[in-house]
């Protein structure tokens, strides 16, 4: 029998508990995210350079104008867009195709699927490094495999016409499993009885695919693609490790060019402006994603 | 004319025999119900008829054609699933139209037939809604509509009403019966609910542990059950089982409490079968409470059920049977039960089979 | 039947495509120097541990053969990775679990907006966020400090662990806490005694994902550290030689670095779909 007095242990109020539990998180996020963002917003309106010590002066929107009117920036934007479209497009097709192959279980299914998911868990540095090794024009494995089929060797990372697609290839290698995983989740969620009912109704294979599989899997597929598009746009590590934006500037993605602006040319103020422009773009894309997530959760 | 014929149909899953040697004929226009507890093999048998499961042994014929190796699409049957299996992303209209579109039927024709089916089922005003927006009763009707719109040879239904609450179940039962009378389609219906079976079936196939226990009209399985299982399963409350020992020609039966009961006809029956340990099966409504009767007992409790009373009567230590009485007065204490012998069954305690006049 | 065989072939091809590169670099780490650059590439070879020995400075004199100058800096950097990833994970999982509990059990005003704000912080491109961080950290003297990176990684993974843990805690029936409350425990005690033990597997999974994210991180480690607090990823990338790149040592470094990740992937394979989509998708 509990002592009546003991029942009145000091109970912290719900409000205080909420504050205690959520407060620190929000605080950390604001300080670590908002604060630096505001600081750099301020910097974007100046001619500050982290290297050259000179008097900081206010330049208004000059930096933004410079960035937006620079044809090179637009070129890099196009390069990035091309990379995203090619990489995510192939990931989408391959990933979904793989998921269709893996829809039915077989012996060792668990092991096979887990093994296929390793590429996307690795660090981009690691991936970039060993693919650079594999893509080496002389002793790389890839050119060796090509020679087995009687094909000429390719200058994967040094041929200006191909370099961007080589990077796309590596991205595809890394992230196809992601699309596969999400598609598979969607496919496995479709109840078997729907297909049985369609079988009884004499539906052909294509009819079933078109009218049942595709519509029911597309919400998740679109989610996966949106995630990938946003991530691919931000791509930096792979490019930095594998080509550094070269040869020339054929693989200069916008993240790469931003890095160069800030840490090679040390035009800090200008780079803050460019960073903000990219930020607004990403926020727009992310809003799409968030909106979509809300829709699928409903 | 037979519509569906099953010959020695069997299905094994690993070492588990789900269906054993089922042989059956279903006639044109008949409403046949497979009835039994869960796990008795009724759903597996139905799925084999549909082609969703491959039989381990045996043959299936539909309209005289051997369909055993054929996939479901080639059997021209319709299946109503327990969980409706409605396509969640399509409207009711599109769900019902699906089978017709799968066959490439032109849009005008499709619309006509869907509307017709919707009218019969009373669904016209719901056609534009999605399954998530429908009540379970309406969902079931849409599933029915999808089955009906194709005008198949046979309707197969797998416990379609089990997802509905009691009130809707009653309504749908009546609805199904009405539809059957209107369309006269051959239907095989699976359920574990014996009230459903009794009220809807032309014939009931009682199954247990993979085998057919009895095939007969509702009346037959009710009044003349083949064995203890059928006798116990059918009827609510179930048939009373009273152990008797046959003492010999002209000596009657001894009850558990030591009393002797005499009945010439039943004694002859036990004699013919040479059985000593018997069980008397008698339904509660065929016992009456009176002053002079064959069986003595004392009333333990009474359940008033509105127009009748259901008594629990102890006739021997630990042996309680149920008696139904339609009179208004409530009885209690020691009573004497009269037996309506013409409705009584005699079972062999060892085999569980009912003793019949014709030797099998 | 034909389809089944085709399917198997395709799956095997896919497996080869995804695993061959990994196998190749691991094999390279065990190859003798000339074998590494052999044309055509060697699939069978005599193995050697020399690259690992030079990587971990156990036999630094061998390094000169491969054109390397000076000691390998890998061991302290590897240690840095372990420490920084570990501490930041512990912090973000702890904070994240508390917040997730509050979001799950209490009605919070503007909950959806808050949650999506938390999610959006994860969407920012590292390069965009990196510049302000660089500037601020320099001003605060946080460049090249362990604390600096720990704080940063903790922030990253925070949004992630809030979303993941909320999903896990949502799945724990409230009845257990309510029973505890009826028995006289405070909400606080109920949280520690009833919810946490049941959330352990979720916490472990979340921790693994945070660990992997912090472990793999490259960009911020690159720009915010130089000597003392540098982690493994920038370090491996910087392994150079004077005569050609020291692929042997890079291969060894890569292998050592990816091994824990592979192990962890297998540990959390049940939660992979959930982990990679912020808990939006539960398998």
């Amino acid at each position: 029998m509990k002592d009546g007095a003991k029942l009145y242990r000091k109970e912290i109020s719900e409000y205080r508990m909420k504050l205690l539990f959520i407060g620190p998180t929000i605080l950390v996020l604001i300080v670590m995210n908002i604060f630096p963002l505001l600081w750099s917003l301020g910097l974007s309106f100046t001619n500050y350079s982290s290297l050259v010590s000179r008097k900081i002066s206010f330049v208004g929107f000059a930096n933004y104008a410079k960035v937006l009117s620079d044809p090179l920036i637009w070129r890099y934007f196009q390069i990035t867009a091309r990379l995203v479209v090619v990489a995510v497009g192939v990931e989408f097709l391959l990933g979904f195709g793989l998921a269709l192959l893996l829809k039915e279980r077989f012996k060792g299914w668990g092991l096979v699927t887990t093994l296929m998911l390793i590429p996307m868990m690795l660090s981009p540095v690691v991936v970039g490094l060993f693919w650079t090794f594999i893509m080496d024009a002389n002793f790389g494995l890839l050119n060796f495999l090509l020679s087995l089929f009687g094909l000429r060797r390719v200058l994967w990372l040094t041929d200006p016409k191909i370099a961007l697609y080589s990077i796309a290839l590596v991205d595809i290698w890394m992230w196809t499993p992601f699309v596969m995983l999400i598609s598979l989740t969607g496919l496995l969620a479709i109840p078997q009885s729907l297909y049985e009912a369609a079988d009884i109704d004499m539906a052909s294979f294509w009819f079933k695919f078109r009218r049942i599989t595709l519509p029911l899997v597309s919400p998740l597929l679109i989610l996966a693609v949106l995630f990938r598009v946003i991530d691919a746009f931000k791509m930096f590590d792979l490019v930095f490790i594998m080509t550094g934006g070269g040869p020339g500037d054929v693989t200069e993605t916008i993240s790469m060019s931003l890095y160069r602006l800030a840490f090679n040319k040390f035009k800090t103020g200008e780079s803050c402006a460019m960073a903000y422009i990219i930020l607004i773009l990403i926020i727009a894309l992310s809003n799409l994603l968030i909106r979509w997530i809300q829709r699928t959760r409903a | 004319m037979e519509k569906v014929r099953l010959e020695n149909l069997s299905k094994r899953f690993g070492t588990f025999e789900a269906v054993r040697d089922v042989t059956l004929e279903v006639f044109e226009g008949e409403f046949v119900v497979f009835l039994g507890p869960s796990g008795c093999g009724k759903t597996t048998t139905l799925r084999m008829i549909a082609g969703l499961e491959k039989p381990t042994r045996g043959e299936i014929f539909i309209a005289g054609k051997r369909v055993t190796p054929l996939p479901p699409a080639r059997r021209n049957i319709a299946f109503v699933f327990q969980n409706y299996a409605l396509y969640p992303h399509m409207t009711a209209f599109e769900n019902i139209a699906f089978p017709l579109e799968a066959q490439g039927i032109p849009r005008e024709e499709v619309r006509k037939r869907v509307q017709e089916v919707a009218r019969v089922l009373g669904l016209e005003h719901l056609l534009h809604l999605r399954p998530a927006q429908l009540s379970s009763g309406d969902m079931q009707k849409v599933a029915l509509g999808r089955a009906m719109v194709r005008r198949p040879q046979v309707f197969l239904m797998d416990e379609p009403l089990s997802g509905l609450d009691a009130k809707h179940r009653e309504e749908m039962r009546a609805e199904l019966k009405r539809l059957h009378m209107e369309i006269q389609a051959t239907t095989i219906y699976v359920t574990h609910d014996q009230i459903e079976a009794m009220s809807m079936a032309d014939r009931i196939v009682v199954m247990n542990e993979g085998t057919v226990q009895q095939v007969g009209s509702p009346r037959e399985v009710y009044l003349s059950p083949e064995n203890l299982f059928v006798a116990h399963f059918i009827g609510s409350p179930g048939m009373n089982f009273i152990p008797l020992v046959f003492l010999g020609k002209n000596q009657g039966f001894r009850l558990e409490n030591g009393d002797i009961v005499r009945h010439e006809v039943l004694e002859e029956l036990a004699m013919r079968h040479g059985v000593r340990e018997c069980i008397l099966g008698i339904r509660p409504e065929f016992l009456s409470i009176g002053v002079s009767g064959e069986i003595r007992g004392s009333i333990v409790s009474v359940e008033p059920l509105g127009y009748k009373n259901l008594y629990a009567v102890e006739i021997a230590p630990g042996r309680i049977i149920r008696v139904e009485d339609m009179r208004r007065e409530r009885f209690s204490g020691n009573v004497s039960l009269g037996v309506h012998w013409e409705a009584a069954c005699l079972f062999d305690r060892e085999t569980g089979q009912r003793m019949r006049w014709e030797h099998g | 039947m034909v389809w089944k065989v085709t399917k198997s072939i395709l799956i095997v091809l896919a497996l080869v495509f995804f695993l061959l590169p990994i196998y190749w670099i691991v094999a390279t780490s065990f190859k003798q120097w000339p074998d590494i650059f052999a044309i055509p590439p060697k699939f069978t070879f005599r193995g050697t541990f020399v690259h690992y020995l030079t990587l971990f400075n156990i036999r630094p004199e061998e390094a000169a053969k491969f054109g390397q100058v000076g000691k390998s800096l890998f061991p302290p950097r590897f240690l840095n990775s372990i420490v920084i990833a570990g501490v930041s994970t512990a912090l973000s999982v702890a904070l994240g679990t508390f917040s997730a509990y509050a979001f799950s059990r209490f009605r919070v005003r503007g909950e959806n907006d808050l949650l999506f704000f938390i999610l959006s912080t994860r969407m920012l491109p590292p390069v965009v966020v990196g510049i302000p961080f660089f500037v601020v950290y320099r001003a605060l003297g946080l460049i090249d400090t362990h604390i600096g990176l720990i704080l940063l990684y903790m922030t990253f993974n925070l949004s992630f662990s809030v979303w993941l843990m909320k999903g896990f805690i949502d799945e724990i029936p409230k009845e257990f806490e309510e029973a505890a409350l009826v028995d006289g425990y405070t909400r606080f005690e109920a949280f520690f005694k009833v919810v946490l033990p049941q959330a352990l597997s979720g916490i472990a999974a979340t921790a693994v994902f945070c660990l992997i994210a912090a472990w793999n991180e490259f960009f911020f480690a690159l720009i915010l550290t130089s000597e003392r607090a540098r982690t493994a990823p920038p370090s491996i990338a910087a392994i150079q030689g004077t005569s050609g790149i020291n692929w042997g040592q890079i291969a060894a470094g890569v292998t050592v670095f990816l091994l824990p990740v592979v192990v962890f992937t297998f540990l959390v394979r049940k939660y992979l779909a959930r982990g990679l989509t912020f808990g939006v998708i539960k398998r």
Side-chain angles (χ1 to χ4, degrees):
Chain A
M1 240 343 154
K2 273 219 160 59
D3 188 331
K6 274 219 184 114
L7 284 174
Y8 287 97
R9 268 206 280 262
K10 187 152 176 287
E11 171 70 88
I12 191 170
S13 82
E14 185 172 303
Y15 178 70
R16 268 169 141 207
M17 203 167 175
K18 277 193 267 186
L19 211 61
L20 188 67
F21 275 31
I22 302 183
T25 301
I26 303 290
L27 190 69
V28 166
L29 286 176
I30 291 184
V31 167
M32 299 288 287
N33 280 315
I34 307 288
F35 178 55
L37 282 180
L38 285 179
W39 188 306
S40 69
L41 181 64
L43 280 183
S44 70
F45 295 116
T46 72
N47 66 350
Y48 175 68
S49 164
S50 54
L51 185 68
V52 179
S53 57
R54 58 168 169 228
K55 187 162 172 294
I56 304 176
S57 57
F58 187 71
V59 294
F61 280 96
N63 286 332
Y64 287 92
K66 199 154 166 214
V67 169
L68 283 173
S69 60
D70 187 347
L72 275 184
I73 300 289
W74 288 109
R75 180 175 142 79
Y76 301 151
F77 191 82
Q78 276 180 330
I79 292 176
T80 313
R82 208 165 355 130
L83 183 61
V84 169
V85 167
V86 169
V88 178
V90 175
E91 280 160 22
F92 166 67
L93 290 171
L94 273 187
F96 188 52
L98 263 180
L100 287 174
L101 278 181
L102 291 172
K103 195 165 59 133
E104 277 111 39
R105 295 194 182 228
F106 49 86
K107 215 146 152 218
W109 185 88
L111 182 66
V112 168
T113 30
T114 311
L115 281 176
M116 285 216 230
L117 297 173
I118 293 181
M120 64 184 178
M121 306 292 282
L122 300 176
S123 169
V125 186
V126 161
V127 173
L129 280 175
F130 68 60
W131 271 98
T132 308
F133 182 63
I134 290 175
M135 283 179 166
D136 186 282
N138 297 314
F139 51 79
L141 186 63
L142 213 49
N143 276 342
F144 169 69
L145 289 176
L146 280 188
S147 70
L148 286 182
F149 289 97
L151 296 166
R152 254 200 356 240
R153 69 178 199 166
V154 176
L155 301 170
W156 297 98
L157 298 172
T158 44
D159 183 342
K161 289 202 289 271
I162 302 199
L164 188 64
Y165 299 102
S166 304
I167 296 190
L169 175 62
V170 179
D171 190 76
I172 291 168
W173 181 87
M174 256 186 100
W175 292 105
T176 300
F178 175 72
V179 179
M180 177 200 88
L181 180 67
I182 306 299
S183 314
L184 196 57
T185 310
L187 284 174
L188 291 177
I190 302 176
Q192 188 61 10
S193 53
L194 289 186
Y195 291 115
E196 286 178 348
D199 275 338
I200 290 175
D201 289 339
M202 303 188 207
S204 71
F205 176 78
W206 282 116
F207 195 79
K208 282 190 285 182
F209 186 75
R210 231 187 346 122
R211 298 288 298 267
I212 304 177
T213 311
L214 272 187
L216 287 178
V217 121
S218 30
L220 281 184
L221 252 187
I222 295 182
L223 189 74
V225 168
L226 276 177
F227 261 115
R228 277 311 306 146
V229 166
I230 294 178
D231 263 356
F233 231 90
K234 301 189 289 183
M235 191 183 329
F236 172 79
D237 295 359
L238 269 185
V239 178
F240 184 81
I241 295 284
M242 296 186 79
T243 62
D249 63 354
V250 289
T251 61
E252 187 97 347
T253 60
I254 43 177
S255 290
M256 194 64 219
S257 70
L258 181 57
Y259 172 82
R260 230 191 269 289
L261 194 61
F263 296 100
N264 281 354
K265 302 192 197 154
F266 290 101
K267 297 198 182 154
T268 316
E270 210 177 303
S271 63
C272 286
M274 183 172 170
Y276 260 90
I277 296 172
I278 300 179
L279 185 66
I280 293 176
L281 191 73
I282 297 283
I283 288 182
L285 275 177
S286 307
N287 254 308
L288 251 178
L289 175 62
I290 290 175
R291 206 69 56 85
W292 190 259
I293 292 180
Q294 278 177 317
R295 244 185 69 168
T296 50
R297 266 175 14 139
Chain B
M1 202 253 292
E2 74 176 29
K3 198 73 176 184
V4 178
R5 189 164 93 237
L6 310 175
E7 276 179 9
N8 297 110
L9 205 55
S10 308
K11 177 74 185 176
R12 178 154 5 124
F13 292 105
T15 52
F16 174 60
E17 283 216 81
V19 178
R20 270 185 284 182
D21 252 347
V22 171
T23 301
L24 182 69
E25 272 167 15
V26 177
F27 299 103
E28 173 96 50
E30 241 196 325
F31 195 111
V32 168
V33 174
F34 287 1
L35 175 68
S38 14
C40 70
K42 54 193 193 297
T43 300
T44 311
T45 309
L46 193 75
R47 285 170 67 91
M48 282 197 278
I49 300 176
L52 294 171
E53 304 272 1
K54 266 171 73 106
T56 317
R57 238 179 23 249
E59 300 291 338
I60 304 171
F61 296 85
I62 297 183
K65 193 167 81 166
R66 178 169 170 268
V67 301
T68 322
L70 297 179
R74 306 257 296 274
R75 299 189 186 200
N76 197 14
I77 44 106
F79 199 101
V80 179
F81 290 82
Q82 189 172 359
N83 66 352
Y84 322 131
L86 293 180
Y87 305 114
H89 55 292
M90 300 192 215
T91 63
F93 182 95
E94 290 164 341
N95 262 285
I96 299 178
F98 188 86
L100 300 178
E101 289 177 354
Q103 294 177 39
I105 295 183
R107 196 178 297 179
E108 252 322 295
E109 168 90 17
V110 169
R111 192 147 59 86
K112 214 170 49 140
R113 280 165 73 161
V114 172
Q115 290 285 9
E116 187 189 316
V117 163
R119 189 186 48 80
V120 171
L121 290 168
L123 287 173
E124 291 125 310
H125 55 294
L126 299 171
L127 284 177
H128 59 286
L129 296 176
R130 300 217 164 159
Q133 300 164 290
L134 296 173
S135 71
S136 33
D138 290 330
M139 280 203 275
Q140 193 50 276
K141 286 191 185 170
V142 175
L144 258 182
R146 190 172 68 190
M148 283 166 58
V149 81
R150 276 185 34 225
R151 303 178 195 152
Q153 304 225 54
V154 185
F155 279 98
L156 305 174
M157 304 197 193
D158 184 9
E159 308 210 42
L161 304 185
S162 59
L164 302 175
D165 59 61
K167 200 81 193 72
H168 284 116
R169 219 179 296 175
E170 267 174 46
E171 287 171 11
M172 279 304 291
R173 268 203 327 254
E175 186 72 12
L176 281 174
K177 200 122 175 124
R178 179 183 72 83
L179 281 171
H180 177 69
M181 290 207 282
E182 202 176 301
I183 307 180
Q184 289 290 318
T186 313
T187 307
I188 303 181
Y189 185 103
V190 161
T191 181
H192 63 273
D193 184 335
Q194 43 118 8
I195 300 180
E196 265 174 43
M198 297 289 281
S199 63
M200 294 198 288
D202 291 328
R203 275 193 304 156
I204 301 182
V205 177
V206 183
M207 289 182 73
N208 188 34
E209 291 186 348
T211 55
V212 174
Q213 303 287 315
Q214 181 170 2
V215 180
S217 69
R219 202 178 160 74
E220 276 167 24
V221 298
Y222 190 77
L223 294 177
S224 315
E226 288 275 318
N227 56 38
L228 286 176
F229 173 78
V230 178
H232 176 70
F233 195 80
I234 304 276
S236 176
M239 187 183 266
N240 290 310
F241 293 140
I242 300 174
L244 300 173
V245 175
F246 180 51
L247 297 173
K249 189 171 165 104
N250 286 329
Q251 296 183 48
F253 300 93
R254 190 175 67 226
L255 291 163
E256 276 173 318
N257 63 1
D259 288 354
I260 307 286
V261 168
R262 303 257 7 239
H263 191 270
E264 233 181 87
V265 173
L266 287 183
E267 286 173 37
E268 177 70 31
L269 191 56
M271 187 80 177
R272 287 217 193 164
H273 284 261
V275 175
R276 205 175 104 87
E277 308 266 324
C278 310
I279 289 186
L280 175 69
I282 186 86
R283 294 201 179 272
E285 64 263 32
F286 296 123
L287 289 166
S288 51
I289 298 184
V291 186
S292 60
E294 293 87 349
I295 303 179
R296 286 187 306 142
S298 69
I299 294 179
V300 173
S301 68
V302 58
E303 278 172 64
L305 293 174
Y307 63 94
K308 64 185 179 187
N309 291 319
L310 189 61
Y311 294 92
V313 181
E314 192 169 13
I315 59 171
R319 180 73 54 191
I320 297 188
I321 62 172
R322 301 207 131 67
V323 180
E324 227 181 69
D325 191 283
M326 306 276 258
R327 289 169 286 182
R328 276 247 300 263
E329 33 193 318
R330 294 261 201 95
F331 297 97
S332 62
N334 291 328
V335 289
S336 212
L337 301 173
V339 179
H340 297 232
W341 292 101
E342 63 286 1
C345 305
L346 200 62
F347 297 91
D348 181 335
R349 203 187 305 187
E350 218 180 290
T351 64
Q353 293 291 112
R354 181 165 66 87
M355 293 186 237
R356 286 138 108 231
W357 285 109
E358 335 77 42
H359 275 280
Chain C
M1 193 59 214
V2 177
W3 174 235
K4 246 196 163 131
V5 173
T6 330
K7 221 166 65 151
S8 314
I9 295 181
L10 287 174
I11 292 181
V12 168
L13 276 179
L15 266 180
V16 168
F17 175 63
F18 288 117
L19 296 180
L20 186 60
I22 301 178
Y23 164 75
W24 191 245
I25 198 79
V26 173
T28 304
S29 71
F30 291 107
K31 282 184 183 167
Q32 317 247 19
W33 187 254
D35 286 342
I36 296 179
F37 300 95
I39 307 171
K42 282 195 146 179
F43 285 91
T44 58
F45 51 90
R46 271 245 324 262
T48 170
F49 282 106
V50 70
H51 301 294
Y52 289 93
L53 299 177
T54 54
L55 186 71
F56 285 101
N57 273 326
I58 301 175
R59 285 238 228 114
E61 61 282 3
E62 303 271 352
K65 288 195 210 151
F66 314 129
Q68 179 160 325
V69 187
K71 275 191 343 179
S72 159
L73 295 166
F74 188 70
R77 307 279 160 84
F78 193 65
L79 195 64
N80 280 342
S81 270
I82 297 179
V83 167
I84 292 177
V87 175
S88 63
T89 297
L91 286 176
S92 54
V93 171
L95 269 185
T97 306
F98 281 120
S99 303
Y101 177 75
F103 279 119
S104 171
R105 297 309 197 227
F106 302 133
R107 252 182 350 178
V108 181
R109 244 177 334 158
E111 173 172 330
N112 268 324
D113 295 326
L114 272 177
L115 279 174
F116 279 111
F117 161 67
I118 294 178
L119 181 67
S120 62
T121 61
R122 196 60 151 84
M123 302 279 180
L124 306 173
V127 190
V128 167
V129 183
I131 300 168
F133 264 101
F134 179 71
V135 172
V136 172
Y137 266 34
R138 235 180 42 159
L140 296 178
L142 283 174
I143 298 279
D144 206 23
T145 61
H146 291 78
I147 292 282
L149 266 193
I150 288 177
L151 277 181
L152 184 65
Y153 288 174
M154 174 191 75
T155 313
F156 262 3
N157 282 327
L158 194 51
S159 43
F160 188 66
S161 62
V162 169
W163 271 75
L164 262 192
M165 282 311 300
K166 176 161 186 301
F168 283 118
I169 294 183
D170 279 341
E171 287 173 0
I172 301 176
K174 295 201 189 141
E175 282 77 43
F176 290 109
E177 293 145 74
E178 289 171 350
L181 288 179
V182 166
D183 281 348
Y185 289 107
T186 65
R187 269 222 175 257
F188 228 79
E189 291 166 323
F191 173 67
F192 282 102
K193 281 184 149 58
V194 171
V195 178
L196 276 189
Q198 295 197 308
L200 271 181
S201 61
I203 293 179
T206 308
V208 167
F209 281 109
C210 291
L211 268 175
I212 294 180
W215 182 257
N216 284 346
E217 206 284 320
F218 172 71
F219 176 68
F220 287 104
L222 179 72
I223 61 171
L224 296 177
T225 66
S226 49
E227 293 283 329
R228 268 183 338 200
R230 183 143 274 207
T231 58
S235 178
I236 302 175
I239 293 177
Q240 296 263 335
T242 48
S243 54
I245 305 180
N246 189 349
W247 281 113
Q249 200 174 89
I250 293 184
V254 163
T255 306
V256 168
F257 195 67
L258 64 76
L259 213 54
V261 175
V262 173
V263 169
F264 279 134
T265 303
F266 270 93
L267 286 179
V268 289
R269 65 184 179 281
K270 260 202 311 173
Y271 300 111
L272 277 174
R274 201 200 277 246
L276 293 162
T277 55
F278 289 81
V280 174
I281 298 175
K282 307 190 206 332
R283 198 181 314 187

